[in-house]
Structures are given as structure tokens and as C-alpha cells.
Amino acid sequence: MVVTKVFQIKQTKNLKRAIDYVTRDDATLIKVEKHDEDDAFDYTLAGDGEIHKKLISGHHLIDPGDRDSIYDDFILLKQSVDDLYDNATLSDLKNDDRVLAHHIVQSFSPDDNLTPEEVNEIGKKTALEFTGGDYQFLVATHVDKGFLHNHIIFNTTNEVTLKKFRWQKGTKKSLEHISDKHAELYGAKILAPKLRNSYTDYSAWRRKNNFRFEIKARLDFLLKHSLDKNDFFQKAKGLNLQIDTSGKYVTYKLTDSLQQRPVRERSLSKRGRYSLDKMAERFAINEVVYNLENIKEKYEEEQAKKQEEFEMKVVIEPWQISEITRQSIHVPITFGLDRQGTVSIPARMLDQNEDGSFTAYFKKKDYFYFINPDKSEDNRFIQGSTLVKQLALNSGEVILTKNWEVTELERLVQEFNFLAANHVTDSQQFAQLKATFLDQLVETDKTLEQLDDKIVYLNKVLGALTDYQSGIVPSDVAMTILDNAKVDKNGDTKSLKKEIRELQIEREALKEARDSIVNEYDFAMALTQQYDQSHQNKKTRSV
């Protein structure tokens, strides 16, 4: 949406040259009908009587419209540092390798339909938030290139502390997020607050356009349902997967998508999982597979079950939202007493509900950028697990957590039942699947144990907290539990009760799914044993 570039300015002659360039009339003047007295911009009168507005604004500058005055303002602050500290080594003015100012170029697409004044205001708000308001800066909006863009030059010396602005590893990323936020908010003012995208739409789009993701999904399916290379090639065509073996490398391409260039098998798996030789080893153990006629139908059924790939789901109420744009929603988040800011949640993670709320779908390791407009040094990435807890804590909504173990067990049972129904019970294919299922069951039981342990622990903490706050002298056990837990003894128990309830819901869902799947497995095993016994009896009688 917005392109930002950053340049360092060293030496006073380069600072003067940069200020002169960005404030020149041929780039910053626009013709207007009349002089608006309430407008903060400077106006000039041309020789023919036409009125022009100068698209230059500034922060803590004596006269943003005068390029010489801007330069002097910057230099005077540097001189104050030199006079106060008398340190030639750290002087910006006496050392050519010291950064005097940073020059930011902020470019906008013509499709944004923003006015020059709006673009200048976006630049000013971006600079204010990025610097925290303690650094001098100018914003010059250029209209001479066919697209609107800002030139922002800010002094590297803090006006309050006289310390230098520290440009670190994540500073550019912080600038980009702040820039995008303000540009997006201005777009929202002239567009209906309706998401352009949604979680449901994005999930469908990704299946069609994330080529590597989709190719690997089809190859993984064919690995389980091909008997040999010839069978694999035929079924690949049935799944609209083009395979080229004519060159040095095997390549894959989806024929039912917008994919332009085929991808090498090596780019799909560094371990060679999708090389023909490696796949042929897997084909050799398959004894029963879906046939060519129904391969596409079965694949689509399996993929439909994988549509919901979120791990955590929560409802975000309208009052929790500060801004809605077509690309995202912005929600205020608070950490402690003074770490307050906003997080932008993209539309692809949201479904907009009729009552004005949003259903958000997160993975625990999704990343979001936390922006503190007053303290840009606090800007940082936070994980989805942290964000969803903050949202649920504020609204009181219960977080619904979806365990991936359930999905994996269901898939394995489905494959197991398919083999059992086709009486393939004494093959390597069946034995491998059975071992995988049992291994997954062990992992699921470990997760249940971890959930149980956490619930037991939190119940103890809740009991101890209640005992402490009851007004009666708390027991030694209660005090020991609270001291070890390091919780606020006078804190509200509401959030603790909510967390226990969420874990109970997650645990109940996982346990119910686990037991149901095991019952299906046991039933299938019983049928398999009956079939094997009946088959053996027939052989005995025939002898």
C-alpha cells in the first residue's frame, strides 16, 4: 500500500542540499481557488495573480515554509549539544561520519485517491508517532511525479534529552507499520467500514493461489493413493497436477490455477520427499488406494475437512475496536500500566458478523505488530497466543482452542477404516498406518495429561486465593501456593476462573474426540479380526 525508503544524511552541506531539494517550489506548490485562513500551509501569489498552496509542514520549526530557517533550526539544536557537553568526538557537526538527520520517502499509489493535503497529514502523523514528538521534522509533499509522495526529514537529536535517535534492526519495520496504519486509516474515512477480505474468503483463495502449499497437499495425497509411477502420473492428471520429467529436475505445475512457472521438486522439500525415486519407495508399500475415477472427489473431501486451520478462536466486540478499514481492524491493547498501543488484525483472519462483532481465527505462533504511539521504542511483535488472551481478557469472551491432535487422529482413523474395509490388514501399508496412529494417540494422551496438570495447578491457586481473600487467617498451604505462583494476592479471581473454564472446555473437547476415535479404531480392529478369522476358516475347510 505505502512504500517507504530511508536515507541517512551526513555532513551539513548534504543536509542543506536535502532540505533545498525537498522544499523546492516546482514539486510542492499546487494551484488553489482561494486562500483558506484556517489552513496551516503557506500560500504564495504568482505573477499572473494565481494563488498557490505550499505543501510543507513541520514540527517544532520556527518557519516550515522557509528552507533556510529549517536548516538553521536543525543546526542550532546540534550546537546546543556541543555547547552543553563539549565533546568533539560525539559532535554531529564536527564529524563527517555522524548522522545529522534521516530522510524518509513515503510513496502512495494513485489508486488511493488521497488529496495532497491528506498525504501531507499522513506524513506528519507518521513522523510524530515514529519519533515520539521529541524530534524536529519537516514534511514536504511532492506532486511532480504522477504519484503523491512525502519527503520527511527529521533531526536525529532529541529536543528534550539531547540524545541521538537510535536506528536499530527493527526500526525500519516499525516505521513501515506506523506508515501503513495512518495511510490505511485515511483510506477508511472515504470507504465503507466493510472488510475487503475475510477468513473464509482467504482460506478459499489460498487453496487456489498458494501454489507450493497446494502442490504439496496434492502430492501428499497421491503418495498414499498411488500403486506405482504410472498410477501416480495418471492420478496426478486427475488432480490437475502437471509433472515434467524431461529436464534435469522434476517440476510440478497446477493446471487449474494462475501458476505461471513450474516449481522444482527440490524447492518443495529439501529432503527429497517429492523426488520420483523417493515417492516410488512409498508406492511400493501401498496395496489398496482410491481409484482413478474417484481420486478427485476423495481429495476434495479431505481438503474440505482441513479448511479450518486455526488453533484459537475468539469473538471481538465492536467496543474493542478503535478503527475499521477494508484491510483490517485496529484494537487497543494494554500491557501493565503504561504500555498502551494498538494491534492491526488483517481481514484474512476475520469474519465480520451481522451484529458488528468479528470472529477472529488465530494460530498460537501468528505474529502481530504492537504499536505504542507515545513510545515508539515499545513497538514490537507479539504472538497470536498473547493477543488472543488480551482480547478475551478485556471482553470476557471464552477462547475456543482447537487441538491439532484431534484433526490428525480423525485423518488417521479415516485412512485406517479405508484399509480395513478393503481387508488390507496384513500389509506393510496397514502396519505403518497402525503404528502412526498409535504414536499419535500417545502424543494426544500426553497433551491431555498436560491439560490435566495445568487445571489441577490453577484450581489449587484459585482455592488458595479464595482462602486468602475470605477474611479468615489463610492457611500455611495457601500462602505457600500463592508465593510459589507469584500472583497478586489481592487480585481479581475472575480472569483465573475464566482461564480454568477455557482449559476445561479444551480438555473436554479433546477427551471426547479422543475416546470417540479410539472406539472407531477398536470397532474397526474387531471387524478386521472377524474377517481374518473367517478367511482363515474358509482356507482350512477348503484344505
Side-chain angles (χ1 to χ4, degrees), residues 327-384:
Q327 291 81 27
S328 65
I329 63 173
H330 296 258
V331 293
I333 298 295
T334 301
F335 295 98
L337 292 175
D338 62 348
R339 291 180 59 195
Q340 299 176 344
T342 59
V343 169
S344 174
I345 304 175
R348 60 182 172 79
M349 293 182 173
L350 302 163
D351 276 337
Q352 192 167 5
N353 305 317
E354 293 183 0
D355 62 357
S357 66
F358 290 82
T359 301
Y361 304 85
F362 299 123
K363 289 185 179 179
K364 294 178 181 178
K365 292 189 177 180
D366 284 335
Y367 280 93
F368 302 87
Y369 202 71
F370 172 78
I371 296 177
N372 186 332
D374 299 320
K375 295 183 178 180
S376 59
E377 65 270 16
D378 284 346
N379 293 354
R380 66 197 64 219
F381 286 98
I382 61 173
Q383 286 193 333

Side-chain angles (χ1 to χ4, degrees), residues 380-472:
R380 66 197 64 219
F381 286 98
I382 61 173
Q383 286 193 333
S385 56
T386 301
L387 175 59
V388 75
K389 287 178 181 178
Q390 285 287 328
L391 293 170
L393 181 64
N394 292 337
S395 67
E397 286 285 340
V398 172
I399 304 170
L400 296 180
T401 302
K402 179 182 177 184
N403 282 96
W404 67 271
E405 286 97 337
V406 174
T407 302
E408 189 64 14
L409 282 172
E410 288 175 342
R411 182 185 67 80
L412 291 170
V413 166
Q414 183 180 17
E415 294 179 22
F416 184 85
N417 287 338
F418 171 71
L419 296 182
N422 287 275
H423 312 303
V424 182
T425 58
D426 58 353
S427 68
Q428 187 179 352
Q429 182 183 9
F430 185 84
Q432 186 182 74
L433 181 60
K434 181 179 177 181
T436 302
F437 175 84
L438 295 176
D439 288 343
Q440 183 58 55
L441 190 62
V442 170
E443 292 302 314
T444 303
D445 287 340
K446 286 181 181 178
T447 300
L448 281 170
E449 289 178 9
Q450 292 170 357
L451 288 171
D452 288 347
D453 290 343
K454 192 166 185 179
I455 292 171
V456 168
Y457 169 73
L458 292 179
N459 280 330
K460 285 183 178 180
V461 174
L462 178 60
L465 200 56
T466 302
D467 182 45
Y468 180 85
Q469 296 177 359
S470 64
I472 306 171

